[in-house]
């Protein structure tokens, strides 16, 4: 019989394979060659160091937004506001990166801390409203996304610049870019992936090796039992949202201090926070699973840009990603099919 752990490992793999197979069928239906399409997808990532590096750059913020969503899920919350937390973290990091004069060993950590604090502060609002008034965090965090979009646009135009759409580049002392990596790959590859991997360990340690993590998970499982056991339910809800927002804010810093090196006004969301929901689901809300699912998403997003060389529209990959998430969400069907297969083998 399959254990719960095996199911959690097998279902995402089967979901990915089913999504890719469904994508191939869709290509065939519309007259495209799926072999050439997926070959172009592969080459779009592994054909040169430049594309591989750009893939790592895309994976880095996905890891952090995936951690943000997964941490909230593991503690019984749904932080759909990661998108807004990414934006405020992005602007906060760039603000410190352009306004402060300090040596790199002070300036860069300070900019990262500013991003983390901004993300945590933005998540504090739905957290405190949930803890004190019982307001559902999904409703509040969705509204906070739109507030973040317009507030950050205002700050960029009228505080960080003089009615400009783009800020000055961050100072080199606050930048995550590295001359050696740039020279080696010719891309925008930066040191943010190290920060992301460190946060993976931070999440694992908090949830699996600390009293705080135990309490956060307990409150997420059953607030009434946790309260009866003497745990401070309201405080743990707020702390969980703060930590979740911290991860999302750092994802914004990866963009502001690394990939772009500045901040600019947005007419729409970056979708890093929303994609983080899919990353967390596919990764089973496990920090190490999030790394794998973020890698897949980065691979698909960057590789799809090359599919046009095979005459296949890259929008096909968006369908594939949607189908993968659909199959993950329908995991109980895959679970049932595997159990039936196991029973058939016994007969």
């Amino acid at each position: 019989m399959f254990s719960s752990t095996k199911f959690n490992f097998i279902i995402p793999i089967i979901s990915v394979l089913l999504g890719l197979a469904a994508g191939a069928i869709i290509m065939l239906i519309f007259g495209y060659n799926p072999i050439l399409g997926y070959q172009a997808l592969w080459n779009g990532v592994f054909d040169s160091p430049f594309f591989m590096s750009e893939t790592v750059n895309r994976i880095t913020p996905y890891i952090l937004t995936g951690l943000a969503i997964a941490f909230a899920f593991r503690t019984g919350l749904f932080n759909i506001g990661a998108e807004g937390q990414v934006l405020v973290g992005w602007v906060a990091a760039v603000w410190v990166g352009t306004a402060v004069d300090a040596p790199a060993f002070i300036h860069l950590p300070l900019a990262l801390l500013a991003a983390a604090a901004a993300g945590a502060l933005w998540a504090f609002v739905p957290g405190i409203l949930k803890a004190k008034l019982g307001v559902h965090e999904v409703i509040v965090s969705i509204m906070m996304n739109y507030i973040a979009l317009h507030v950050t646009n205002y700050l960029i135009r009228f505080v960080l610049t003089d009615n400009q759409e783009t800020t000055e580049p961050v100072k080199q002392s606050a930048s995550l870019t590295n001359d050696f990596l740039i020279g080696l790959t010719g891309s925008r590859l930066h040191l943010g992936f190290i920060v992301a991997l460190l946060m993976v360990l931070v999440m694992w340690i908090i949830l699996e090796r600390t009293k705080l993590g135990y309490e956060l998970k307990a409150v997420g499982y059953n607030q009434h039992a946790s309260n009866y056991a003497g745990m401070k339910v309201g405080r743990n809800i707020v702390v969980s949202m703060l930590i979740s927002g911290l991860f999302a804010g750092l994802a914004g810093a990866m963009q502001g201090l690394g990939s772009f090196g500045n901040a600019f006004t947005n007419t729409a969301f970056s979708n890093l926070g929303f994609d983080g929901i899919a990353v967390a689901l596919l990764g089973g809300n496990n920090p190490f699973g999030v790394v794998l699912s973020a890698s897949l998403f980065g691979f698909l997003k960057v590789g799809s840009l090359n599919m046009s060389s095979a005459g296949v529209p890259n929008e096909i990959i968006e369908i594939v990603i949607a189908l993968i998430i659909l199959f993950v969400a329908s995991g109980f069907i895959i679970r049932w099919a595997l159990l039936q297969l196991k029973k058939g083998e016994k007969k």
Side-chain angles (χ1 to χ4, degrees):
M1 188 66 67
F2 289 105
S3 67
S4 178
T5 302
K6 286 183 179 178
F7 273 123
N8 292 337
F9 179 74
I10 292 172
I11 288 175
I13 294 176
I14 294 177
S15 298
V16 170
L17 294 176
L18 289 174
L20 292 173
I25 292 171
I26 292 171
M27 286 187 232
L28 286 172
I29 291 173
F30 288 96
Y32 303 115
N33 188 324
I35 295 176
L36 292 179
Y38 284 139
Q39 184 179 21
L41 176 73
W42 179 271
N43 291 338
V45 174
F46 297 105
D47 201 38
S48 73
F50 175 84
F51 291 126
M52 292 176 66
S53 302
E54 287 299 304
T55 303
V56 173
N57 274 355
R58 184 64 73 97
I59 290 169
T60 298
Y62 279 154
I63 291 176
L64 289 163
T65 55
L67 292 178
I69 304 297
F71 192 92
F73 276 149
R74 290 284 297 275
T75 55
L77 298 168
F78 188 1
N79 179 18
I80 202 171
E83 182 67 32
Q85 293 147 25
V86 167
L87 291 175
V88 296
W90 188 334
V91 170
V94 170
W95 196 342
V96 172
T98 55
V100 174
D101 284 312
F105 71 91
I106 295 176
H107 201 182
L108 178 55
L110 186 62
L112 292 173
L113 285 173
L121 178 63
W122 216 252
F124 173 78
V125 177
I128 194 68
L129 290 176
K130 168 87 169 184
K132 297 298 183 182
L133 301 176
V135 181
H136 204 289
E137 72 275 9
V138 169
I139 303 299
V140 179
S141 56
I142 287 175
M143 292 190 291
M144 293 294 288
N145 285 336
Y146 288 93
I147 296 171
L149 177 64
H150 296 294
V151 167
T152 53
N153 282 345
Y154 175 86
L155 290 173
I156 290 169
R157 286 194 184 103
F158 304 114
V159 178
L160 276 70
T161 70
D162 184 16
N163 201 23
Q164 301 295 315
E165 302 297 316
T166 305
T167 68
E168 293 292 323
V170 297
K171 295 174 181 175
Q172 188 58 39
S173 56
S175 177
L176 285 165
T177 58
N178 180 274
D179 290 338
F180 173 75
L181 293 176
I182 293 173
L184 185 66
T185 64
S187 72
R188 300 174 298 172
L189 183 63
H190 55 79
L191 299 174
F193 68 90
I194 297 175
V195 177
L197 294 178
L198 286 174
M199 291 303 105
V200 170
L201 292 177
V202 167
M203 175 173 165
W204 180 79
I205 291 170
I206 290 174
L207 289 179
E208 306 299 338
R209 291 293 184 269
T210 67
K211 176 186 174 184
L212 172 63
Y214 177 83
E215 289 193 5
L216 292 176
K217 290 187 291 183
V219 170
Y221 288 137
N222 192 317
Q223 292 185 15
H224 299 293
S226 300
N227 186 56
Y228 183 78
M231 299 178 190
K232 296 180 179 179
V233 173
R235 185 198 67 180
N236 282 311
I237 289 174
V238 173
V239 169
S240 177
M241 288 298 292
L242 287 173
I243 296 173
S244 178
L246 180 152
F247 290 136
L250 284 174
M254 300 302 101
Q255 305 297 86
L257 305 179
S259 296
F260 295 97
N262 62 5
F264 44 84
T265 57
N266 293 281
T267 56
F269 293 120
S270 69
N271 284 331
L272 288 174
F274 296 129
D275 286 343
I277 299 172
V279 169
L281 287 173
L282 184 60
N285 298 323
N286 180 288
F288 302 109
V290 163
V291 175
L292 296 177
S293 60
S295 299
L296 175 67
F297 271 67
F299 170 83
L300 293 175
K301 292 282 188 177
V302 174
S304 66
L305 300 176
N306 190 50
M307 291 182 71
S308 59
S309 65
V312 181
N314 56 20
E315 288 80 5
I316 290 287
I317 288 303
E318 297 298 330
I319 298 174
V320 170
I321 290 173
L323 289 170
I324 290 172
I325 300 308
L326 175 64
F327 289 128
V328 170
S330 305
F332 66 93
I333 298 176
I334 299 175
R335 185 187 296 259
W336 176 83
L338 290 174
L339 289 174
Q340 296 304 311
L341 182 63
K342 194 69 175 178
K343 288 179 182 178
E345 290 178 355
K346 288 183 178 180
K347 291 180 181 179

